[in-house]
Amino acid sequence: MKEAYQLTDDLRKIYNQNIQKSVAMTKLAHWFRKVEEADFKSFSILRKTIMNHYKEILAFLIKEALMLPQNLSMLKLKTSECNSEE
C-alpha cells in the first residue's frame, strides 16, 4: 500500500511541477521504471496509457501552464468585483 501511494505521489509531483518538457519526460521515464519494478497491474495500465498518449498529455499541460497567468488575472478581477458589490 505504501509503495502504491508513493507511485501516485511521484506522478502527481511530476505533473504539478513547472518544469521543462525534456525534464518532465526524464522524470516520467524514471517513474515508468519504478512502475515496472513494482508490478502493480493498475499502474502498468496507467503507464501504458501515458506512453500511448504522452504527446497529447504534454500539449495539454503546456497549454494549461501558459493559461495560468490569464486565469489568475480573471480570478482576481472577479474577486474584486464581488468585493465591490458588498
Side-chain angles (χ1 to χ4, degrees):
M1 185 75 141
K2 184 177 178 179
E3 189 174 12
Y5 175 81
Q6 189 62 51
L7 286 170
T8 303
D9 195 46
D10 289 348
L11 182 61
R12 183 181 317 117
K13 287 176 184 174
I14 293 169
Y15 282 101
N16 286 336
Q17 292 177 346
N18 187 12
I19 54 178
Q20 293 179 344
K21 187 176 174 179
S22 60
V23 175
M25 292 300 294
T26 302
K27 289 181 180 259
L28 271 177
H30 290 289
W31 186 81
F32 291 160
R33 183 183 44 77
K34 288 179 185 177
V35 167
E36 288 174 356
E37 291 171 358
D39 199 32
F40 289 118
K41 183 178 180 181
S42 58
F43 283 101
S44 294
I45 293 169
L46 178 59
R47 179 184 64 85
K48 288 177 187 175
T49 301
I50 292 171
M51 289 176 75
N52 289 334
H53 300 283
Y54 77 94
K55 289 180 183 178
E56 294 92 347
I57 292 169
L58 287 174
F60 170 79
L61 292 173
I62 290 168
K63 179 182 172 189
E64 289 296 306
L66 292 173
M67 294 296 294
L68 184 60
Q70 181 181 359
N71 292 340
L72 288 175
S73 296
M74 290 175 60
L75 181 61
K76 287 179 184 178
L77 179 63
K78 288 180 182 180
T79 303
S80 68
E81 288 174 356
C82 288
N83 288 339
S84 66
E85 292 176 4
E86 294 177 352

Coordinates of all heavy atoms in Angstrom, one line a residue:
M1 N 0.8 -1.2 0.0 CA 0.0 0.0 0.0 C 0.9 1.3 0.0 O 0.6 2.2 -0.7 CB -0.9 0.0 1.2 CG -1.9 1.1 1.3 SD -3.2 0.8 0.1 CE -4.6 1.3 1.0
K2 N 1.9 1.2 0.8 CA 2.8 2.4 0.9 C 3.5 2.6 -0.5 O 3.6 3.8 -0.9 CB 3.9 2.1 1.9 CG 4.8 3.3 2.2 CD 5.8 3.0 3.3 CE 6.7 4.2 3.5 NZ 7.7 4.0 4.6
E3 N 3.9 1.6 -1.2 CA 4.5 1.7 -2.5 C 3.6 2.3 -3.5 O 3.9 3.1 -4.3 CB 5.1 0.4 -2.9 CG 5.9 0.4 -4.1 CD 6.6 -0.9 -4.5 OE1 6.1 -2.0 -3.9 OE2 7.4 -0.9 -5.3
A4 N 2.3 1.9 -3.5 CA 1.3 2.4 -4.4 C 1.1 3.9 -4.1 O 1.0 4.7 -5.1 CB 0.0 1.6 -4.2
Y5 N 1.0 4.3 -2.9 CA 0.8 5.7 -2.5 C 2.0 6.5 -3.0 O 1.9 7.6 -3.6 CB 0.7 5.9 -1.0 CG 0.6 7.4 -0.7 CD1 -0.5 8.1 -0.8 CD2 1.8 8.0 -0.2 CE1 -0.6 9.4 -0.5 CE2 1.8 9.4 0.0 CZ 0.6 10.1 -0.1 OH 0.5 11.4 0.2
Q6 N 3.2 6.0 -2.9 CA 4.4 6.7 -3.3 C 4.5 6.8 -4.8 O 4.8 7.9 -5.3 CB 5.7 5.9 -2.9 CG 7.0 6.7 -3.1 CD 7.0 8.0 -2.3 OE1 6.8 8.0 -1.1 NE2 7.3 9.1 -3.0
L7 N 4.0 5.8 -5.6 CA 4.0 5.9 -7.0 C 3.0 7.0 -7.4 O 3.2 7.8 -8.3 CB 3.6 4.6 -7.6 CG 4.7 3.5 -7.7 CD1 4.1 2.2 -8.1 CD2 5.8 3.9 -8.6
T8 N 1.8 7.0 -6.8 CA 0.8 8.1 -7.0 C 1.4 9.4 -6.8 O 1.2 10.4 -7.6 CB -0.4 7.8 -6.2 OG1 -0.9 6.5 -6.5 CG2 -1.5 8.8 -6.5
D9 N 2.0 9.6 -5.6 CA 2.6 10.9 -5.2 C 3.7 11.3 -6.2 O 3.7 12.5 -6.6 CB 3.1 10.8 -3.8 CG 3.3 12.2 -3.2 OD1 2.5 13.1 -3.4 OD2 4.4 12.4 -2.6
D10 N 4.5 10.4 -6.6 CA 5.6 10.7 -7.5 C 5.0 11.3 -8.9 O 5.5 12.2 -9.4 CB 6.5 9.5 -7.8 CG 7.3 9.2 -6.6 OD1 7.4 10.0 -5.6 OD2 7.9 8.1 -6.6
L11 N 4.0 10.6 -9.4 CA 3.4 11.0 -10.6 C 2.7 12.4 -10.5 O 2.9 13.3 -11.3 CB 2.3 10.0 -11.1 CG 1.7 10.3 -12.4 CD1 2.7 10.4 -13.6 CD2 0.6 9.2 -12.7
R12 N 2.0 12.6 -9.3 CA 1.4 13.9 -9.1 C 2.4 15.0 -9.1 O 2.2 16.1 -9.6 CB 0.7 13.9 -7.7 CG -0.1 15.1 -7.4 CD -0.8 15.1 -6.1 NE -1.5 13.9 -5.8 CZ -1.3 13.0 -4.9 NH1 -0.3 13.2 -4.0 NH2 -2.0 11.9 -4.7
K13 N 3.6 14.8 -8.5 CA 4.6 15.8 -8.4 C 5.2 16.1 -9.8 O 5.5 17.3 -10.0 CB 5.8 15.3 -7.5 CG 5.4 15.3 -6.0 CD 6.6 14.7 -5.2 CE 6.2 14.6 -3.7 NZ 7.2 13.9 -2.9
I14 N 5.3 15.1 -10.6 CA 5.8 15.4 -12.0 C 4.8 16.4 -12.7 O 5.2 17.3 -13.3 CB 5.9 14.1 -12.8 CG1 7.0 13.2 -12.2 CG2 6.2 14.4 -14.3 CD1 7.1 11.8 -12.8
Y15 N 3.5 16.1 -12.6 CA 2.6 16.9 -13.3 C 2.3 18.3 -12.6 O 1.8 19.2 -13.3 CB 1.3 16.2 -13.5 CG 1.4 15.2 -14.6 CD1 1.6 13.8 -14.4 CD2 1.4 15.6 -15.9 CE1 1.8 12.9 -15.4 CE2 1.5 14.7 -17.0 CZ 1.7 13.4 -16.7 OH 1.9 12.5 -17.7
N16 N 2.6 18.4 -11.3 CA 2.4 19.7 -10.7 C 3.5 20.6 -10.7 O 3.4 21.8 -10.3 CB 1.9 19.4 -9.2 CG 0.5 18.9 -9.1 OD1 -0.3 19.1 -10.0 ND2 0.2 18.2 -8.0
Q17 N 4.7 20.1 -11.1 CA 5.9 21.0 -11.2 C 5.9 21.8 -12.5 O 5.4 21.3 -13.5 CB 7.2 20.2 -11.1 CG 7.4 19.5 -9.8 CD 8.6 18.6 -9.8 OE1 9.2 18.3 -10.8 NE2 9.1 18.3 -8.6
N18 N 6.4 23.0 -12.4 CA 6.5 23.8 -13.6 C 7.9 23.6 -14.1 O 8.9 24.3 -13.8 CB 6.3 25.3 -13.2 CG 6.3 26.2 -14.4 OD1 6.2 25.7 -15.6 ND2 6.4 27.5 -14.2
I19 N 8.1 22.6 -14.9 CA 9.4 22.2 -15.4 C 9.4 22.0 -16.9 O 8.3 22.0 -17.6 CB 9.9 20.8 -14.8 CG1 8.8 19.7 -15.0 CG2 10.2 21.0 -13.3 CD1 9.2 18.4 -14.5
Q20 N 10.5 22.0 -17.5 CA 10.6 21.9 -19.0 C 10.2 20.5 -19.4 O 10.2 19.6 -18.7 CB 12.1 22.1 -19.5 CG 12.6 23.5 -19.2 CD 14.0 23.6 -19.7 OE1 14.7 22.6 -19.9 NE2 14.5 24.9 -19.9
K21 N 9.7 20.5 -20.7 CA 9.2 19.3 -21.3 C 10.2 18.1 -21.2 O 9.9 17.0 -20.8 CB 8.8 19.6 -22.7 CG 8.1 18.5 -23.4 CD 7.7 19.0 -24.8 CE 7.1 17.9 -25.7 NZ 6.7 18.4 -27.0
S22 N 11.5 18.4 -21.5 CA 12.5 17.4 -21.5 C 12.7 16.8 -20.1 O 12.9 15.6 -19.9 CB 13.8 17.9 -22.1 OG 14.3 19.0 -21.3
V23 N 12.7 17.7 -19.1 CA 12.8 17.3 -17.7 C 11.7 16.4 -17.3 O 11.8 15.4 -16.7 CB 13.0 18.5 -16.8 CG1 13.0 18.0 -15.3 CG2 14.2 19.3 -17.1
A24 N 10.5 16.8 -17.7 CA 9.3 16.0 -17.4 C 9.3 14.6 -18.0 O 9.0 13.6 -17.4 CB 8.0 16.8 -17.8
M25 N 9.8 14.6 -19.2 CA 9.9 13.3 -19.9 C 10.9 12.4 -19.2 O 10.7 11.2 -19.0 CB 10.3 13.5 -21.4 CG 9.3 14.1 -22.2 SD 7.7 13.2 -22.3 CE 8.3 11.8 -23.2
T26 N 12.0 12.9 -18.7 CA 13.0 12.2 -18.0 C 12.4 11.6 -16.7 O 12.6 10.5 -16.3 CB 14.3 13.0 -17.7 OG1 14.8 13.5 -18.9 CG2 15.3 12.3 -16.9
K27 N 11.7 12.5 -16.0 CA 11.1 12.1 -14.7 C 10.0 11.0 -15.0 O 9.9 10.1 -14.2 CB 10.5 13.3 -14.0 CG 11.5 14.3 -13.4 CD 10.9 15.4 -12.7 CE 12.0 16.3 -12.1 NZ 12.2 16.1 -10.7
L28 N 9.3 11.2 -16.0 CA 8.3 10.1 -16.4 C 9.0 8.8 -16.7 O 8.5 7.7 -16.3 CB 7.5 10.5 -17.6 CG 6.2 11.3 -17.3 CD1 5.5 11.7 -18.6 CD2 5.3 10.6 -16.4
A29 N 10.1 8.8 -17.4 CA 10.9 7.6 -17.7 C 11.3 6.9 -16.4 O 11.2 5.7 -16.3 CB 12.1 7.9 -18.5
H30 N 11.7 7.7 -15.4 CA 12.1 7.1 -14.1 C 10.9 6.5 -13.4 O 10.9 5.5 -12.8 CB 12.8 8.1 -13.2 CG 14.1 8.5 -13.7 ND1 15.2 7.7 -13.6 CD2 14.6 9.7 -14.2 CE1 16.3 8.3 -14.0 NE2 15.9 9.5 -14.5
W31 N 9.7 7.2 -13.5 CA 8.5 6.8 -12.9 C 8.1 5.5 -13.6 O 7.7 4.5 -12.9 CB 7.4 7.8 -13.0 CG 6.1 7.5 -12.3 CD1 5.9 7.6 -11.0 CD2 5.0 6.9 -12.9 NE1 4.6 7.1 -10.7 CE2 4.1 6.7 -11.9 CE3 4.6 6.5 -14.2 CZ2 2.8 6.1 -12.1 CZ3 3.4 6.0 -14.4 CH2 2.5 5.8 -13.3
F32 N 8.2 5.4 -14.9 CA 7.8 4.2 -15.6 C 8.7 3.0 -15.1 O 8.1 1.9 -14.9 CB 8.1 4.3 -17.1 CG 7.2 5.2 -17.9 CD1 7.5 5.8 -19.1 CD2 5.9 5.6 -17.3 CE1 6.7 6.6 -19.7 CE2 5.1 6.5 -18.0 CZ 5.4 7.0 -19.2
R33 N 10.0 3.2 -14.9 CA 10.8 2.1 -14.4 C 10.3 1.7 -13.0 O 10.3 0.5 -12.7 CB 12.3 2.6 -14.3 CG 13.3 1.6 -13.8 CD 14.7 2.1 -13.7 NE 14.8 3.4 -13.1 CZ 14.7 3.6 -11.8 NH1 14.5 2.6 -10.9 NH2 14.9 4.8 -11.3
K34 N 10.0 2.6 -12.1 CA 9.5 2.2 -10.8 C 8.2 1.4 -10.9 O 8.0 0.5 -10.1 CB 9.3 3.5 -10.0 CG 10.5 4.2 -9.5 CD 10.1 5.4 -8.7 CE 11.3 6.3 -8.3 NZ 10.9 7.5 -7.6
V35 N 7.3 1.8 -11.8 CA 6.1 1.1 -12.0 C 6.4 -0.3 -12.5 O 5.8 -1.3 -12.0 CB 5.2 1.8 -13.0 CG1 4.0 0.9 -13.5 CG2 4.7 3.1 -12.4
E36 N 7.3 -0.5 -13.4 CA 7.7 -1.9 -13.9 C 8.2 -2.7 -12.7 O 7.9 -3.9 -12.6 CB 8.7 -1.8 -15.0 CG 8.1 -1.3 -16.3 CD 9.1 -1.1 -17.4 OE1 10.3 -1.2 -17.1 OE2 8.7 -0.7 -18.5
E37 N 9.0 -2.1 -11.9 CA 9.6 -2.8 -10.7 C 8.6 -3.2 -9.7 O 8.6 -4.2 -9.1 CB 10.7 -2.0 -10.1 CG 12.0 -1.8 -11.0 CD 13.0 -0.8 -10.4 OE1 12.7 -0.2 -9.4 OE2 14.0 -0.7 -11.1
A38 N 7.6 -2.3 -9.5 CA 6.5 -2.6 -8.5 C 5.6 -3.6 -8.9 O 5.0 -4.4 -8.1 CB 5.8 -1.3 -8.2
D39 N 5.4 -3.7 -10.2 CA 4.5 -4.8 -10.8 C 3.0 -4.7 -10.3 O 2.4 -5.7 -10.1 CB 5.1 -6.2 -10.6 CG 4.5 -7.2 -11.5 OD1 4.2 -6.9 -12.7 OD2 4.4 -8.4 -11.1
F40 N 2.5 -3.5 -10.2 CA 1.1 -3.3 -9.9 C 0.3 -3.2 -11.3 O 0.7 -2.4 -12.1 CB 0.8 -2.0 -9.2 CG 1.3 -2.0 -7.7 CD1 2.3 -1.1 -7.3 CD2 0.7 -2.9 -6.8 CE1 2.7 -1.1 -6.0 CE2 1.2 -2.9 -5.5 CZ 2.2 -2.0 -5.1
K41 N -0.7 -4.0 -11.4 CA -1.4 -4.1 -12.7 C -2.0 -2.7 -13.0 O -1.9 -2.3 -14.2 CB -2.5 -5.2 -12.7 CG -3.2 -5.3 -14.0 CD -4.3 -6.4 -13.9 CE -5.0 -6.5 -15.3 NZ -6.0 -7.5 -15.3
S42 N -2.7 -2.1 -12.1 CA -3.3 -0.8 -12.3 C -2.3 0.3 -12.8 O -2.6 1.1 -13.7 CB -4.1 -0.3 -11.1 OG -3.3 -0.2 -10.0
F43 N -1.2 0.3 -12.2 CA -0.2 1.3 -12.6 C 0.4 0.9 -13.9 O 0.8 1.8 -14.7 CB 0.9 1.4 -11.5 CG 0.5 2.2 -10.3 CD1 0.2 1.6 -9.1 CD2 0.5 3.6 -10.3 CE1 -0.2 2.3 -8.0 CE2 0.1 4.3 -9.2 CZ -0.2 3.7 -8.1
S44 N 0.5 -0.3 -14.2 CA 1.0 -0.8 -15.5 C 0.1 -0.3 -16.6 O 0.5 0.2 -17.7 CB 1.2 -2.3 -15.6 OG 2.2 -2.7 -14.7
I45 N -1.2 -0.4 -16.4 CA -2.2 0.1 -17.3 C -2.1 1.6 -17.5 O -2.1 2.1 -18.6 CB -3.6 -0.3 -16.9 CG1 -3.8 -1.8 -17.0 CG2 -4.7 0.4 -17.7 CD1 -5.0 -2.3 -16.3
L46 N -1.9 2.3 -16.4 CA -1.7 3.8 -16.5 C -0.5 4.1 -17.2 O -0.5 5.1 -18.0 CB -1.7 4.4 -15.0 CG -1.5 5.9 -14.9 CD1 -2.6 6.6 -15.7 CD2 -1.4 6.3 -13.5
R47 N 0.6 3.4 -17.0 CA 1.9 3.7 -17.6 C 1.7 3.5 -19.2 O 2.1 4.4 -19.9 CB 2.9 2.7 -17.1 CG 4.3 2.9 -17.8 CD 5.3 1.9 -17.3 NE 4.9 0.5 -17.7 CZ 5.2 -0.1 -18.8 NH1 5.8 0.6 -19.8 NH2 4.8 -1.3 -19.1
K48 N 1.0 2.4 -19.6 CA 0.8 2.2 -21.0 C -0.1 3.3 -21.6 O 0.2 3.8 -22.7 CB 0.1 0.8 -21.2 CG 1.1 -0.3 -21.0 CD 0.4 -1.6 -21.1 CE 1.3 -2.8 -20.7 NZ 0.6 -4.1 -20.7
T49 N -1.1 3.8 -20.9 CA -1.9 4.8 -21.3 C -1.1 6.1 -21.5 O -1.2 6.8 -22.6 CB -3.1 5.1 -20.4 OG1 -3.8 3.9 -20.2 CG2 -4.0 6.2 -20.8
I50 N -0.3 6.5 -20.6 CA 0.5 7.7 -20.7 C 1.5 7.5 -21.8 O 1.7 8.5 -22.6 CB 1.3 7.9 -19.3 CG1 0.3 8.3 -18.2 CG2 2.3 9.0 -19.5 CD1 0.9 8.4 -16.9
M51 N 2.1 6.4 -22.0 CA 3.0 6.2 -23.1 C 2.3 6.3 -24.4 O 2.9 6.9 -25.4 CB 3.7 4.8 -23.0 CG 4.7 4.7 -21.8 SD 5.4 3.1 -21.6 CE 6.5 3.0 -23.0
N52 N 1.1 5.8 -24.6 CA 0.4 5.9 -25.8 C -0.1 7.3 -26.1 O -0.3 7.7 -27.3 CB -0.8 5.0 -25.8 CG -0.4 3.5 -25.9 OD1 0.7 3.2 -26.4 ND2 -1.2 2.7 -25.4
H53 N -0.3 8.2 -25.1 CA -0.9 9.5 -25.3 C 0.0 10.6 -24.7 O -0.5 11.7 -24.5 CB -2.2 9.5 -24.6 CG -3.2 8.5 -25.2 ND1 -3.8 8.7 -26.4 CD2 -3.6 7.3 -24.7 CE1 -4.6 7.7 -26.6 NE2 -4.5 6.8 -25.6
Y54 N 1.3 10.4 -24.6 CA 2.2 11.4 -23.9 C 2.2 12.7 -24.7 O 2.3 13.8 -24.1 CB 3.6 10.8 -23.7 CG 4.5 10.8 -24.9 CD1 5.3 11.8 -25.2 CD2 4.5 9.7 -25.7 CE1 6.1 11.8 -26.3 CE2 5.3 9.7 -26.9 CZ 6.1 10.7 -27.1 OH 6.9 10.7 -28.2
K55 N 2.1 12.7 -26.0 CA 2.2 14.0 -26.8 C 1.0 14.8 -26.4 O 1.1 16.0 -26.2 CB 2.3 13.7 -28.3 CG 3.6 13.1 -28.7 CD 3.6 12.9 -30.2 CE 4.9 12.3 -30.6 NZ 5.0 12.0 -32.0
E56 N -0.2 14.2 -26.4 CA -1.4 15.0 -26.1 C -1.4 15.4 -24.6 O -1.8 16.6 -24.3 CB -2.7 14.1 -26.3 CG -2.9 13.7 -27.8 CD -2.2 12.4 -28.2 OE1 -1.4 11.9 -27.4 OE2 -2.6 11.9 -29.2
I57 N -0.9 14.6 -23.7 CA -0.9 15.0 -22.3 C 0.1 16.1 -22.1 O -0.2 17.1 -21.4 CB -0.4 13.8 -21.5 CG1 -1.5 12.7 -21.5 CG2 -0.1 14.2 -20.0 CD1 -1.1 11.4 -20.9
L58 N 1.3 16.1 -22.7 CA 2.2 17.2 -22.6 C 1.7 18.5 -23.2 O 1.9 19.6 -22.7 CB 3.6 16.8 -23.2 CG 4.4 15.8 -22.4 CD1 5.6 15.4 -23.2 CD2 4.8 16.4 -21.1
A59 N 1.0 18.4 -24.4 CA 0.4 19.5 -25.0 C -0.6 20.2 -24.1 O -0.6 21.4 -24.0 CB -0.2 19.2 -26.4
F60 N -1.4 19.4 -23.5 CA -2.4 19.9 -22.5 C -1.8 20.6 -21.4 O -2.2 21.7 -21.0 CB -3.3 18.7 -22.0 CG -4.2 19.1 -20.9 CD1 -5.4 19.8 -21.2 CD2 -3.9 18.8 -19.6 CE1 -6.2 20.2 -20.1 CE2 -4.7 19.2 -18.6 CZ -5.9 19.9 -18.8
L61 N -0.8 20.0 -20.8 CA -0.1 20.6 -19.6 C 0.6 21.9 -20.0 O 0.6 22.8 -19.2 CB 0.9 19.6 -19.0 CG 0.3 18.3 -18.4 CD1 1.3 17.3 -18.0 CD2 -0.6 18.8 -17.2
I62 N 1.2 21.9 -21.2 CA 1.9 23.1 -21.6 C 0.8 24.2 -21.8 O 1.0 25.4 -21.4 CB 2.7 22.9 -22.9 CG1 3.9 22.0 -22.6 CG2 3.1 24.2 -23.5 CD1 4.6 21.5 -23.8
K63 N -0.3 23.9 -22.4 CA -1.4 24.9 -22.6 C -1.9 25.4 -21.3 O -2.1 26.6 -21.1 CB -2.5 24.2 -23.4 CG -3.7 25.1 -23.7 CD -4.8 24.4 -24.4 CE -6.0 25.3 -24.5 NZ -7.2 24.6 -25.0
E64 N -2.1 24.5 -20.3 CA -2.6 24.9 -19.0 C -1.6 25.8 -18.3 O -1.9 26.8 -17.7 CB -2.8 23.7 -18.1 CG -4.1 22.9 -18.5 CD -5.3 23.7 -18.4 OE1 -5.6 24.2 -17.3 OE2 -6.1 23.7 -19.4
A65 N -0.3 25.5 -18.4 CA 0.7 26.4 -17.8 C 0.8 27.7 -18.5 O 1.0 28.8 -17.8 CB 2.1 25.7 -18.0
L66 N 0.6 27.8 -19.8 CA 0.5 29.1 -20.5 C -0.7 29.9 -20.1 O -0.7 31.1 -20.1 CB 0.6 28.9 -22.0 CG 1.9 28.3 -22.5 CD1 1.8 28.0 -24.0 CD2 3.1 29.3 -22.3
M67 N -1.8 29.2 -19.8 CA -3.1 29.9 -19.5 C -3.1 30.3 -18.0 O -4.0 31.2 -17.7 CB -4.2 29.0 -19.8 CG -4.4 28.7 -21.3 SD -4.8 30.2 -22.3 CE -6.4 30.6 -21.6
L68 N -2.3 29.8 -17.2 CA -2.4 30.1 -15.7 C -2.3 31.6 -15.4 O -3.2 32.1 -14.7 CB -1.2 29.3 -15.0 CG -1.3 29.5 -13.5 CD1 -2.6 28.9 -12.9 CD2 -0.1 28.7 -12.9
P69 N -1.4 32.4 -15.9 CA -1.4 33.8 -15.6 C -2.7 34.5 -16.0 O -3.2 35.3 -15.2 CB -0.2 34.4 -16.4 CG 0.7 33.2 -16.7 CD -0.2 32.0 -16.8
Q70 N -3.2 34.2 -17.1 CA -4.5 34.7 -17.6 C -5.6 34.3 -16.7 O -6.5 35.2 -16.3 CB -4.8 34.3 -19.0 CG -6.1 34.9 -19.6 CD -6.4 34.4 -21.0 OE1 -5.6 33.7 -21.6 NE2 -7.5 34.9 -21.5
N71 N -5.7 33.1 -16.3 CA -6.7 32.6 -15.4 C -6.6 33.3 -14.0 O -7.7 33.6 -13.4 CB -6.7 31.1 -15.2 CG -7.1 30.4 -16.5 OD1 -7.7 31.0 -17.4 ND2 -6.7 29.1 -16.6
L72 N -5.4 33.5 -13.5 CA -5.3 34.2 -12.2 C -5.7 35.6 -12.3 O -6.4 36.1 -11.4 CB -3.8 34.1 -11.8 CG -3.3 32.7 -11.3 CD1 -1.8 32.8 -11.0 CD2 -4.1 32.2 -10.1
S73 N -5.5 36.3 -13.4 CA -5.9 37.7 -13.6 C -7.4 37.7 -13.6 O -8.0 38.6 -13.0 CB -5.4 38.2 -14.9 OG -4.0 38.3 -14.8
M74 N -8.1 36.8 -14.3 CA -9.5 36.8 -14.3 C -10.1 36.5 -13.0 O -11.1 37.1 -12.6 CB -10.0 35.7 -15.3 CG -9.7 36.1 -16.8 SD -10.1 34.8 -18.0 CE -11.9 34.6 -17.7
L75 N -9.5 35.6 -12.2 CA -9.9 35.3 -10.8 C -9.8 36.6 -9.9 O -10.8 36.9 -9.2 CB -9.2 34.2 -10.3 CG -9.5 33.7 -8.9 CD1 -11.0 33.3 -8.8 CD2 -8.6 32.6 -8.4
K76 N -8.7 37.3 -10.0 CA -8.6 38.5 -9.2 C -9.6 39.5 -9.6 O -10.2 40.2 -8.7 CB -7.2 39.1 -9.4 CG -6.1 38.3 -8.8 CD -4.7 38.9 -9.1 CE -3.6 38.1 -8.5 NZ -2.3 38.6 -8.8
L77 N -9.9 39.7 -10.9 CA -10.9 40.6 -11.3 C -12.3 40.3 -10.8 O -13.0 41.1 -10.3 CB -10.9 40.7 -12.9 CG -11.9 41.6 -13.5 CD1 -11.7 43.0 -13.1 CD2 -11.9 41.5 -15.0
K78 N -12.6 39.0 -10.9 CA -13.9 38.5 -10.4 C -14.0 38.7 -8.8 O -15.1 39.1 -8.3 CB -14.2 37.1 -10.7 CG -14.5 36.8 -12.2 CD -14.7 35.4 -12.5 CE -14.9 35.2 -13.9 NZ -15.2 33.8 -14.3
T79 N -12.9 38.5 -8.1 CA -12.9 38.6 -6.7 C -13.1 40.1 -6.3 O -13.9 40.4 -5.4 CB -11.6 38.1 -6.1 OG1 -11.4 36.8 -6.5 CG2 -11.6 38.3 -4.6
S80 N -12.4 41.0 -7.0 CA -12.6 42.4 -6.7 C -14.0 42.9 -7.1 O -14.5 43.8 -6.4 CB -11.5 43.2 -7.4 OG -11.7 43.2 -8.8
E81 N -14.6 42.4 -8.2 CA -15.9 42.8 -8.5 C -16.9 42.3 -7.4 O -17.8 43.1 -7.0 CB -16.4 42.1 -9.8 CG -15.7 42.8 -11.0 CD -16.0 42.0 -12.3 OE1 -16.7 41.0 -12.3 OE2 -15.5 42.5 -13.4
C82 N -16.7 41.1 -6.9 CA -17.6 40.6 -5.8 C -17.4 41.4 -4.6 O -18.4 41.7 -3.9 CB -17.3 39.1 -5.5 SG -17.8 38.0 -6.8
N83 N -16.2 41.8 -4.2 CA -16.0 42.6 -3.0 C -16.6 44.0 -3.2 O -17.0 44.6 -2.2 CB -14.5 42.7 -2.7 CG -13.9 41.4 -2.3 OD1 -14.6 40.5 -1.8 ND2 -12.6 41.2 -2.4
S84 N -16.6 44.6 -4.4 CA -17.1 45.9 -4.5 C -18.6 46.0 -4.5 O -19.2 47.0 -4.2 CB -16.6 46.5 -5.8 OG -17.1 45.8 -6.9
E85 N -19.3 44.8 -4.8 CA -20.7 44.7 -4.7 C -21.2 44.7 -3.3 O -22.4 44.9 -3.0 CB -21.2 43.5 -5.5 CG -21.0 43.7 -7.0 CD -21.4 42.4 -7.8 OE1 -21.9 41.5 -7.2 OE2 -21.2 42.4 -9.0
E86 N -20.4 44.3 -2.3 CA -20.9 44.1 -0.9 C -21.0 45.4 -0.2 O -20.8 46.4 -0.2 CB -19.9 43.2 -0.2 CG -19.9 41.8 -0.7 CD -18.8 40.9 0.0 OE1 -18.0 41.4 0.8 OE2 -18.8 39.8 -0.3

